[in-house]
Amino acid sequence: MKYIFFLLTCFIAVTGFSQQTEFVDFTKATVDIVLRPELKEIGVDVQYEFEILNDTDSIYFDLQSLDTYKVYQQSFEGNNLYRDKKIILKSNFKKGEKHTVGLATFTHPKKAMYFIDWNEIGGRKQVWTQGQGKYTSSWLPSFDDVNEKVEFDFSITFDNRYEVIANGKLLKKESPNDSLTKWYFDMKKPMSSYLAAIAIGKYKKKTITSKSGVPIELYYYPEDELKFEPTYRYTKRIFDFLEEEIGVAYPWQNYKQVPVKDFLYAGMENTGTTIFSDSFLIDSTSFVDKNYVNVNAHELAHQWFGDLVTAKSGKHHWLQEGFATYYALLAEKEIFGDDYFYWKLYESALQLQALNDGKGESLLNPKASSLTFYQKGAWTLHALRTNVGDEVFKKAVQRYLTMYKFKSAETNDFIKIVEEESGKNLDKFVKTWLENPQLPNEFFDPTTMLIGTEIPENMFYYLGGGIGEIFLAASMKSSEIKKTYDFSTATLALNLFSDKTLKEVDPISEGYIIDLLKNLKVNTLEERLKIYREALKTNNIKIRQTIAKAARQVPEVFKTDYESLLNDDSYITKEIALFTLWKSFPESRKNYLDQTKFVKGANDKSFRILWLTLAIVTKDYSGHKTPYYYDELVAYTDGRNHFEVRQNAFRFLNELQSFKDKNLADLVNGAMHHNWRFAKYCRDLLDSIIKNPAYAENLTRTKALLTQAENAFLEKRMQQ
């Protein structure tokens, strides 16, 4: 993105983001913060130090949201104004001058800082920030231009019953009174404003130490002690591997990981302080279905690629996401093995193939999709590494990170270093992989699909003739892929697992068998069930889960086999199996519900919500407990719950057509939620309810339960 700076006679008129970095270098910000979360208020006192690089008559700070501000100290003569979401300071600034300025601001940020559950009775009260894409300047006078890097030192005063976390090393805590604590944090190096982070909540933490001596602080909720290990499994190993593989020391004083409620994304790589969705706080059973390993590695890789060296603009965004995706995959290769690595590359290739058929996207297109920045970016690095060799690639990455540390870079900066290290001209590579929207033809050749990577011998051993089929599919256009597997092919493939030396199904074989089961074409039910029974014997959870999903109606002769899925160590498998068995065998419904009554399920309560729904609608099952089950079900729409829980509850209540007024009020609340995906779901559902005449009276009564803002939102929605 281009940044344009206009200096006018009496004020700065800004179009886009201005290249202020040509005129001034802000070096340090000492930030003092006081929060009133019940009112969603933040007061900031910030002292900036800066140096003038070229003569100018004005400088500015971005501030997206503002109630009041004051410039209470400045080391220069001049005046100030707030215009176009900027605090502008006017003076006769001369090259080489060093100055300080103190700003006090008060605001109610609409985004970038989120106050969770402070107006709920109970709930998980938190404050957390998300700067990327939302602007840290929504709450802190700072810089939307990622190229302006500043050392931010935070001090935060807050209720002493909570933990306060921010970028940098905690220097000390002071108690101004019996109820408050002031936390002081110190950063030694500069960073872009969007990477500034604050997280506040009730946490416990455990600290581990990397091989190189870096403290790694891992936060969790006090009641989730048993989830700590599954959640943070492999963290030290990932950290040690990435530091060694990248070959540049971790650049910050410490590393913190903090789960938060209702986060906008999976995770965010704030400098030294990753904030991630608490839906990744999991137990061991959940690990197979959804775990934090890839997100963990991805956000950690960003500490080098994005935080240490930042892409100058959106055109070069792949330098952050492509690198983080690639190095996360390398970390998973270290943990799960080569086969896992190759299979993930293959899965990624199929996704890119579909994008390619839609004309593709250039990696240098600032408006490209996440799939392009992440997966195509990772594949580009894999191809580049194969092109120049491991040693050259590693040296180039190390030079790149060293040369541009605490700065910003463009694609050409990185490519130039690779050319110098390899002695190769990479113009053709750049045009083929970076500039061309289409992927190269050889990408879809099954013999070269892994870009020169030798296919492991055990792939042929485990997959037999099937390896040809699965990689041949990659050479076809997605519209032409119509893979099917007949009885003989499926039997041959599954017989491989009778080998006594095969202790577990490797990732490539697992993926192949899953693909086989999804595309099985047989002549008789007997043949199909024989294949299913052999697949069940693998005891591979993902393969067994595929069978659970495949059977919409379970035949009587397969009942006992299918019932075994209720005992699998996967909440997803249990959930699918429960519903399918309940639907298939009405006479056994009570037994299935009794067998699964005490299964807690994953964090999203999907299993529990399904169980409650089935218990309520099963004839002669719940009896006098029906009101209790129903009360539990409808309570899950409340704002105190995670939005994933609420969405599941809304879905099942909609199926039952059994909304209470309170549920409708919760739905309006959800439609105004800060998480846009959840908000969209709620808005779509609310619109369908508004159109349903049966709910007219309910909606009228619901208005009495809404806040003024919620009532205004509902009224506007009803008039559409």
Side-chain angles (χ1 to χ4, degrees), residues 633-660:
L633 175 60
V634 298
Y636 286 131
T637 68
D638 190 270
R640 291 171 293 183
N641 296 299
H642 193 282
F643 74 82
E644 292 177 354
V645 176
R646 300 177 69 190
Q647 184 164 319
N648 283 326
F650 285 134
R651 179 165 58 93
F652 278 94
L653 286 171
N654 189 46
E655 290 291 328
L656 293 172
Q657 288 293 290
S658 188
F659 287 106
K660 288 186 174 182

Side-chain angles (χ1 to χ4, degrees), residues 505 510 513-514 517 532-551 558 560-570 572-574 576-577:
V505 182
E510 175 189 270
I513 297 302
I514 289 173
L517 293 169
Y532 282 2
R533 287 189 175 105
E534 288 302 312
L536 287 174
K537 289 179 183 177
T538 65
N539 289 324
N540 176 280
I541 289 177
K542 290 293 186 182
I543 290 174
R544 289 171 61 87
Q545 189 176 105
T546 303
I547 296 172
K549 293 177 180 178
F558 195 56
T560 301
D561 303 276
Y562 196 90
E563 285 175 337
S564 69
L565 294 167
L566 287 175
N567 299 317
D568 278 21
D569 288 332
S570 162
I572 291 178
T573 303
K574 288 177 186 289
I576 296 168

Side-chain angles (χ1 to χ4, degrees), residues 280-437:
F280 287 103
L281 286 175
I282 56 165
D283 60 20
S284 291
T285 301
S286 294
F287 188 89
V288 70
D289 295 322
K290 176 181 181 177
N291 61 64
Y292 182 54
V293 175
N294 180 266
V295 177
N296 191 342
H298 183 99
E299 305 308 335
L300 178 56
H302 269 309
Q303 298 299 318
W304 288 268
F305 306 105
D307 295 8
L308 178 61
V309 179
T310 306
K312 279 189 177 180
S313 68
K315 179 179 179 180
H316 310 285
H317 189 53
W318 82 279
L319 289 174
Q320 298 182 183
E321 298 302 346
F323 270 89
T325 302
Y326 180 60
Y327 277 91
L329 187 55
L330 291 178
E332 289 185 298
K333 178 183 178 183
E334 167 72 11
I335 294 166
F336 301 123
D338 290 356
D339 291 341
Y340 181 93
F341 176 76
Y342 297 128
W343 184 257
K344 285 298 181 182
L345 281 176
Y346 171 70
E347 288 184 325
S348 174
L350 291 184
Q351 291 178 302
L352 291 170
Q353 176 184 340
L355 178 68
N356 208 59
D357 293 344
K359 297 184 180 180
E361 291 177 329
S362 166
L363 204 50
L364 300 181
N365 177 0
K367 296 182 179 180
S369 65
S370 294
L371 180 62
T372 295
F373 288 133
Y374 287 65
Q375 301 301 332
K376 188 176 181 180
W379 259 105
T380 298
L381 290 171
H382 185 58
L384 181 62
R385 186 172 188 159
T386 303
N387 186 310
V388 301
D390 282 356
E391 185 176 352
V392 167
F393 181 82
K394 287 185 176 181
K395 285 183 178 179
V397 169
Q398 290 164 15
R399 269 191 62 192
Y400 167 71
L401 291 173
T402 302
M403 183 176 295
Y404 294 99
K405 63 183 179 182
F406 311 115
K407 300 176 184 177
S408 300
E410 297 181 348
T411 299
N412 287 340
D413 297 327
F414 173 64
I415 294 298
K416 181 181 178 182
I417 291 173
V418 180
E419 287 182 326
E420 291 173 355
E421 288 293 332
S422 65
K424 290 186 175 184
N425 184 306
L426 294 175
D427 287 350
K428 182 179 178 180
F429 180 90
V430 169
K431 289 180 180 178
T432 301
W433 283 92
L434 297 171
E435 296 176 354
N436 186 5

Side-chain angles (χ1 to χ4, degrees), residues 131-263:
Q132 188 175 43
K134 302 298 178 184
Y135 302 123
T136 295
S137 62
S138 293
W139 57 272
L140 173 67
S142 54
F143 310 99
D144 295 343
D145 184 353
V146 300
N147 299 294
E148 182 64 77
K149 297 206 169 191
V150 181
E151 177 192 332
F152 288 98
D153 294 337
F154 289 106
S155 60
I156 303 163
T157 302
F158 203 77
D159 187 328
N160 60 19
R161 295 173 297 175
Y162 294 83
E163 292 293 318
V164 174
I165 303 141
N167 311 91
K169 181 180 180 180
L170 178 63
L171 295 180
K172 62 179 180 177
K173 295 189 289 185
E174 294 178 346
S175 298
N177 57 45
D178 292 339
S179 62
L180 297 175
T181 294
K182 189 169 186 177
W183 306 63
Y184 293 85
F185 296 90
D186 173 61
M187 283 290 295
K188 296 296 185 185
K189 301 295 183 181
M191 62 183 181
S192 301
S193 297
Y194 79 90
L195 296 167
I198 295 172
I200 300 172
K202 292 192 174 180
Y203 294 103
K204 292 181 69 175
K205 77 170 180 178
K206 295 183 181 181
T207 302
I208 59 177
T209 305
S210 74
K211 185 178 179 180
S212 61
V214 177
I216 305 171
E217 300 175 14
L218 306 175
Y219 289 82
Y220 62 100
Y221 300 143
E223 69 273 20
D224 284 341
E225 185 80 31
L226 294 178
K227 293 181 178 180
F228 178 86
E229 189 283 324
T231 299
Y232 290 114
R233 191 173 293 172
Y234 306 123
T235 294
K236 183 179 184 303
R237 189 172 172 185
I238 291 169
F239 192 104
D240 292 341
F241 168 78
L242 286 179
E243 196 165 36
E244 183 175 348
E245 172 67 22
I246 293 169
V248 173
Y250 176 76
W252 317 105
Q253 298 142 285
N254 55 20
Y255 186 53
K256 288 164 275 196
Q257 300 198 63
V258 190
V260 299
K261 180 189 172 188
D262 290 351
F263 196 51

Side-chain angles (χ1 to χ4, degrees), residues 31-34 42-46 72 103-107 139-141:
V31 187
D32 194 4
I33 293 172
V34 175
I42 177 171
V44 173
D45 183 323
V46 55
Y72 66 84
L103 308 172
T105 62
F106 180 76
T107 188
W139 57 272
L140 173 67

